[in-house]
Amino acid sequence: SEPAATKVYYGTSTVDVNSTSTAFVSNSSLVTDHSIAITGLSTSTPYVLVLESKDASGNVSLSNSLGVTTGN
């Protein structure tokens, strides 16, 4: 596994990673074990997430959209 920085884009509908208005959280540290917290989400609400990894050479990998719902 190659070290990479992490970014998680999120929203309550579709997520456009190219839009400057899309909310995201990120960690620019190059690591192989990723953990990131998203705070301020509403309870019992469906969200869409897209995960991004970027290595030291600038290569970017994006996940497919992931649907999650927050707890109570």
Side-chain angles (χ1 to χ4, degrees):
S1 216
E2 185 176 358
T6 306
K7 186 180 279 188
V8 179
Y9 299 92
Y10 63 95
T12 54
S13 58
T14 60
V15 172
D16 180 0
V17 299
N18 296 310
S19 172
T20 57
S21 64
T22 299
F24 69 89
V25 292
S26 63
N27 181 346
S28 60
S29 299
L30 298 175
V31 297
T32 56
D33 187 16
H34 301 270
S35 177
I36 197 161
I38 304 173
T39 60
L41 301 179
S42 299
T43 58
S44 301
T45 303
Y47 285 90
V48 177
L49 309 176
V50 175
L51 313 177
E52 176 186 290
S53 289
K54 185 175 184 180
D55 69 15
S57 298
N59 299 308
V60 174
S61 178
L62 293 171
S63 73
N64 291 326
S65 295
L66 306 168
V68 298
T69 300
T70 54
N72 291 332

